[in-house]
Structure formats: structure tokens, C-alpha cells
Amino acid sequence: MKCTASHQYSHSLDQVYLFFRDAETISEKYAALKAINISTIRNEDTDDGFISETERELPADVPALLASILGDYNKLIQKEHWYSKDDGSLGCDMTIDLVGVPVKIEGHMHLHENETGAINDVTIEISSSLPLIGSSLARYVAGDCKKSMEQEYQYIQGQLQAAEVAG
């Protein structure tokens, strides 16, 4: 299953990047999106960019078929490796480990500027090798990813607009 989104911001790349780069801002973002038990495992510069690794629990609204696999809350560990590209844009390779859930989640973000602001193009691939219900599980997780990506986009948009009004 593949999820894609293209999020257009009327703010600069640097302003948008803060929501993926700064540990405190990341934690605030996740808390606003109803995550609990949020912790930063790693948040550091590397030779070629930056690595962020966070852990959090998200409420699960699961169909009956998947209730035995997914609980009321799902713990996830998200690793992002951000790096500068030759054209001045930023790339990010990410993995999301839904702890105890037999799915593989990998993705890529490309944060770049255009004449009106920044665009974040997101692609996430979800797969499960479980027999019989693996495709249902991957489809459910993909739908949940799509919903989470939209909520995160709306949150960042709102925060950027609020900062603009306050500033």
C-alpha cells in the first residue's frame, strides 16, 4: 500500500523544517495530535544532515477484524534522516515501527521551495507479510497514515498562521 501527499505551505522551507527538526516543537506537534508518552530518543546533527528518532503512543480506532492485533493505543518509533540535496531542498528517509504490529512502514519526504513558499511531498509504503489478513492490516495502516499526514499538515499550517498573526 502506498500513501502520498503534497503539502503546500505559504511559508519558507526553514519555517516549515522547524516542525521536523526541533525536538520540543516535534513533541508539541505530537501532543496536539493526541499522542501520549512522547519521548525523544535521538535528535542530533550528522555529517550529512540530521537524525530524529521519537517514540509515542497513538489512540487506535480499529476495525473488529484487527482488534486482536492492534490495541487501544499503538506504540510507534519514528526515525527520520534528513539531508540537504544539491538543489538546496531537503530529503528525508524515514521508518516507522508500529511496535508489535506485523507491518513494515518506510517513507520519504522531499521539502522544497517554490515561488509561494514550501512544499513537502510525502510518500509512505506499508506492507505486511501476514497470511490472510496482511492486506487488510496494510490497508488499515495506510488509511491511518493518510489521516495522520493530513492532521499533521493542518497542525503545522495552523501554527505557522498563528505565528504570522502574533508576529
Side-chain angles (χ1 to χ4, degrees), residues 74-91:
N74 292 310
K75 182 178 188 176
L76 63 90
I77 299 170
Q78 185 165 336
K79 298 175 187 175
E80 296 180 0
H81 173 215
W82 286 90
Y83 50 90
S84 295
K85 298 180 91 165
D86 291 340
D87 63 2
S89 67
L90 297 168

Side-chain angles (χ1 to χ4, degrees), residues 29-143:
K29 173 180 67 176
Y30 290 152
L33 299 175
K34 298 187 169 81
I36 61 170
N37 300 324
I38 303 160
S39 64
T40 299
I41 299 168
R42 188 173 173 197
N43 190 282
E44 63 190 43
D45 292 321
T46 62
D47 290 341
D48 65 344
F50 173 76
I51 291 182
S52 171
E53 185 174 353
T54 57
E55 181 177 284
R56 64 191 184 277
E57 292 180 38
L58 291 172
D61 178 21
V62 297
L65 174 67
L66 303 173
S68 64
I69 298 170
L70 303 168
D72 293 336
Y73 274 83
N74 292 310
K75 182 178 188 176
L76 63 90
I77 299 170
Q78 185 165 336
K79 298 175 187 175
E80 296 180 0
H81 173 215
W82 286 90
Y83 50 90
S84 295
K85 298 180 91 165
D86 291 340
D87 63 2
S89 67
L90 297 168
C92 173
D93 297 321
M94 73 175 123
T95 59
I96 301 170
D97 178 16
L98 245 127
V99 178
V101 179
V103 294
K104 182 178 179 180
I105 306 169
E106 295 180 329
H108 181 78
M109 289 187 274
H110 181 218
L111 185 57
H112 53 101
E113 289 188 303
N114 68 6
E115 58 280 347
T116 61
I119 299 172
N120 189 22
D121 294 318
V122 185
T123 303
I124 296 178
E125 290 275 352
I126 300 105
S127 61
S128 176
S129 58
L130 263 183
L132 302 175
I133 65 167
S135 61
S136 294
L137 180 59
R139 220 177 359 268
Y140 167 76
V141 172

